[in-house]
Amino acid sequence: MKKLILLLCFFFTCMNSFSQKLEYETKSNIQYYNAATNKSDSYINERCVLDIYYPKNAKGFATIVWFHGGGLTGGNKEIPEALKDKGFAIIGVNYRLSPKVKAAKAIDDAAAAVAWVFNTISNYGGDTSQIFVSGHSAGGYLGLMIGLDKKYLQKEGIDANKIAGLIPFSGQCITHFEIRKERGIPDTQPTIDEFAPLFYVRADAPSLLLITGDRELEMLGRYEENAYMARMMKLVGHKQTKLYELDGYGHGMTEPGFPLLVNEVNRILKEKQSKK
């Protein structure tokens, strides 16, 4: 038994040492639309770019696509510090913003960015079967829309079910309030239409982890939207839906959420490995 313990300690020490020796590189402002599209639209050319942070000289790593928040009217791409040095590639995405364009254009951009990842990450050493989609608030909404409504990624030639996991932070599950605002619908009037992730609950969707702040501290009814999403996903037969409520944290709950994101990615990767 002592020999086994010593061997295990040696193994984990080696693994930790390997992880620490990974070197990372960042490449910034990569355009994710094709050259013709960029040339045809100056705002796409300016705004539709992403940054990639990835382990150099590594193969088969997982990738987390991170969409920033900002109500579909503001915000900028970021590589969250809490996700660095974990063995993953992290991709921070910019997308077009309202009112310069209709808010729904951001969904098209999110799909184009994720398609870029599927088509390109292997060039950096990443594994296309290990692509996760996450983001905060408006970013969480975008991830849910392209992960549940398959038409957005289908237009890009990608099956949304190839996403390894959807992990939105405080994402809106009803129709986004900026889209409702464009239509003259108040923030306090819930709407579920073709721009609501809830409209697309389905049993065969990717693994789904919903994370929100405290229901009494969150924005509007954000926890309740996510709770309804979790319930309806389970009722339609989805087997991989979980909901976490972070007691004591409001809408800006990213810092306590990041370890949950990392744990969920590792859980799914371990599950995939065990099935091989």
Side-chain angles (χ1 to χ4, degrees), residues 12-242:
F12 286 117
T13 300
C14 289
M15 289 297 291
N16 288 335
S17 176
F18 173 76
S19 177
Q20 290 167 2
K21 285 180 180 177
L22 281 176
E23 293 183 9
Y24 294 83
E25 184 171 343
T26 301
K27 294 189 176 178
S28 302
N29 295 321
I30 300 169
Q31 293 177 314
Y32 53 82
Y33 278 108
N34 61 39
T37 303
N38 287 317
K39 188 175 181 179
S40 70
D41 188 313
S42 60
Y43 191 39
I44 287 177
N45 187 65
E46 167 201 341
R47 182 73 191 175
C48 294
V49 294
L50 56 80
D51 297 344
I52 175 170
Y53 165 94
Y54 66 101
K56 293 168 57 178
N57 305 318
K59 297 291 182 184
F61 51 79
T63 300
I64 300 171
V65 181
W66 179 259
F67 292 109
H68 69 81
L72 299 181
T73 63
N76 280 295
K77 58 185 166 59
E78 58 178 338
I79 307 292
E81 288 295 324
L83 300 180
K84 291 183 176 180
D85 302 322
K86 300 292 189 296
F88 312 135
I90 313 298
I91 294 180
V93 183
N94 264 358
Y95 47 86
R96 286 173 289 175
L97 300 172
S98 173
K100 195 156 186 176
V101 297
K102 290 291 187 182
K105 289 293 185 184
I107 309 173
D108 296 325
D109 295 345
V114 169
W116 181 94
V117 178
F118 272 99
N119 292 328
T120 312
I121 197 63
S122 60
N123 297 341
Y124 294 86
D127 184 341
T128 55
S129 72
Q130 299 178 7
I131 294 171
F132 297 82
V133 176
S134 187
H136 176 237
S137 194
Y141 167 80
L142 294 176
L144 283 170
M145 281 299 298
I146 65 170
L148 294 177
D149 183 359
K150 298 186 75 175
K151 73 172 178 282
Y152 289 101
L153 281 169
Q154 278 176 345
K155 287 189 291 187
E156 304 291 336
I158 303 295
D159 181 356
N161 285 6
K162 298 295 185 184
I163 295 171
L166 298 169
I167 312 169
F169 287 32
S170 198
Q172 197 146 22
C173 296
I174 63 174
T175 299
H176 195 278
F177 59 70
E178 184 63 18
I179 294 175
R180 280 182 282 151
K181 179 182 176 182
E182 291 173 350
R183 299 173 173 187
I185 301 171
D187 286 350
T188 51
Q189 183 177 333
T191 305
I192 297 174
D193 60 16
E194 71 273 21
F195 292 111
L198 263 165
F199 196 77
Y200 303 99
V201 294
R202 54 190 178 87
D204 64 333
S207 180
L208 176 62
L209 174 59
L210 302 158
I211 308 173
T212 78
D214 189 314
R215 69 189 74 185
E216 299 301 331
L217 301 173
E218 261 287 7
M219 177 183 291
L220 296 171
R222 194 60 54 89
Y223 165 79
E224 288 79 7
E225 293 177 35
N226 280 261
Y228 188 35
M229 168 68 82
R231 175 56 57 196
M232 296 311 295
M233 287 292 282
K234 290 174 182 178
L235 288 177
V236 298
H238 193 260
K239 304 297 185 185
Q240 292 280 339
T241 293
K242 293 194 294 287

